[in-house]
Amino acid sequence: MDVNADIQVLETITGLPVSPDIYSGNADKYIVYSCSDERPVLWGDDEPMEDQVIIQVNLFTPPKFNYMDLKHQIRDYLETLGEISEISSWLDTFTAKNNLEVTIRHTTFSVIITKER
């Protein structure tokens, strides 16, 4: 099931860049999403009738940025697509170019989307 167009709508809603799998731009706030699972969930006459996909939507923001409005915008939209099973937020520290240590807030939404075939 392809839900890329549904997730890309977040770019219009939030005004942030939205990319599948990896972001390679320079924005300090952005969204990355990926499919973590896809399977048939409803069967009839030995044929799948519905598919279910679990999408991980990741919001990245600077650590001191008040991200709650963005978090709620994303949550509210994702709830129109399916069921949110979890929202988590934490600070990530990693080594970037030139061996500089960078800290960023990472907020993850796990959403379960079910669609008819």
Side-chain angles (χ1 to χ4, degrees):
M1 167 185 358
D2 186 356
V3 296
N4 287 351
D6 295 330
I7 302 301
Q8 285 295 144
V9 170
L10 286 170
E11 191 164 332
T12 302
I13 292 169
T14 64
L16 301 179
V18 177
S19 297
D21 300 319
I22 192 165
Y23 175 69
S24 58
N26 295 319
D28 66 343
K29 296 180 275 303
Y30 55 92
I31 296 170
V32 175
Y33 65 94
S34 59
C35 176
S36 67
D37 185 32
E38 183 176 349
R39 66 184 72 202
V41 292
L42 180 64
W43 293 78
D45 294 329
D46 295 328
E47 295 290 327
M49 297 173 61
E50 289 184 350
D51 287 326
Q52 186 176 79
V53 63
I54 300 174
I55 302 292
Q56 300 290 324
V57 177
N58 301 283
L59 169 65
F60 294 93
T61 56
K64 294 184 180 183
F65 175 77
N66 184 353
Y67 68 101
M68 295 305 285
D69 286 342
L70 283 172
K71 176 183 169 185
H72 294 147
Q73 287 175 345
I74 295 167
R75 178 203 63 200
D76 292 348
Y77 174 68
L78 293 176
E79 285 176 339
T80 70
L81 299 178
E83 174 189 345
I84 295 177
S85 63
E86 181 179 8
I87 300 173
S88 300
S89 186
W90 65 93
L91 293 178
D92 272 339
T93 301
F94 59 93
T95 303
K97 296 177 185 176
N98 301 325
N99 290 325
L100 295 174
E101 193 171 270
V102 175
T103 301
I104 194 163
R105 176 166 303 283
H106 185 169
T107 304
T108 298
F109 306 79
S110 294
V111 60
I112 302 166
I113 302 171
T114 305
K115 290 188 178 184
E116 290 182 15
R117 280 196 173 186

